[in-house]
Amino acid sequence: MKAILKLEELLMFALGAYMFSLLGISWWWFFGLLLLPDIGALGYLVNSKIGAMSYNVFHHKGIAIVVYFVGIYFENEHLKLIGIILFAHASIDRVFGYGLKHFDSFKSTHLGKIGN
């Protein structure tokens, strides 16, 4: 089952890359911005609860999709780009086992414990 879920996430990452290609922006932006959502992990410098909340905001695919659709509605390429990067990043993170965080620790995710 884990392999199927990882394949699904990999295909969602591919969808994010395809959606990026429709923007007509140079590919180096995609790869240059792909790790930017990890800025949400800085909340862990405060404590685990704040860290989980800030991390989850930057890694929630629903938020990414809403941002993208707001970009479509307002015809704003920057918002579309942000939505695509958030979506693609969350997808590739989940391929590697990094899911949405529980409040107790960074390693506790909706996909199980990281490293198990």
Side-chain angles (χ1 to χ4, degrees), residues 47-64:
N47 62 42
S48 291
K49 185 174 182 180
I50 298 295
M53 288 189 297
S54 63
Y55 183 93
N56 290 345
V57 165
F58 284 91
H59 291 79
H60 194 287
K61 289 184 185 176
I63 292 172

Side-chain angles (χ1 to χ4, degrees), residues 14-27 30 81 84:
L15 174 63
Y18 171 73
M19 295 303 292
F20 178 85
S21 76
L22 298 178
L23 294 177
I25 300 172
S26 177
W27 276 100
F30 182 75
L81 174 62
I84 290 168

Side-chain angles (χ1 to χ4, degrees), residues 8-88:
E8 180 182 45
E9 293 294 342
L10 190 58
L11 291 172
M12 282 191 259
F13 175 77
L15 174 63
Y18 171 73
M19 295 303 292
F20 178 85
S21 76
L22 298 178
L23 294 177
I25 300 172
S26 177
W27 276 100
W28 73 266
W29 280 104
F30 182 75
F31 296 107
L33 296 173
L34 193 58
L35 295 179
L36 191 59
D38 281 335
I39 196 167
L42 290 176
Y44 281 98
L45 295 173
V46 177
N47 62 42
S48 291
K49 185 174 182 180
I50 298 295
M53 288 189 297
S54 63
Y55 183 93
N56 290 345
V57 165
F58 284 91
H59 291 79
H60 194 287
K61 289 184 185 176
I63 292 172
I65 292 167
V66 167
V67 170
Y68 180 77
F69 281 134
V70 169
I72 289 173
Y73 181 79
F74 289 109
E75 298 178 5
N76 185 310
E77 296 294 305
H78 292 101
L79 287 176
K80 288 189 232 178
L81 174 62
I82 292 167
I84 290 168
I85 293 298
L86 291 173
F87 184 83

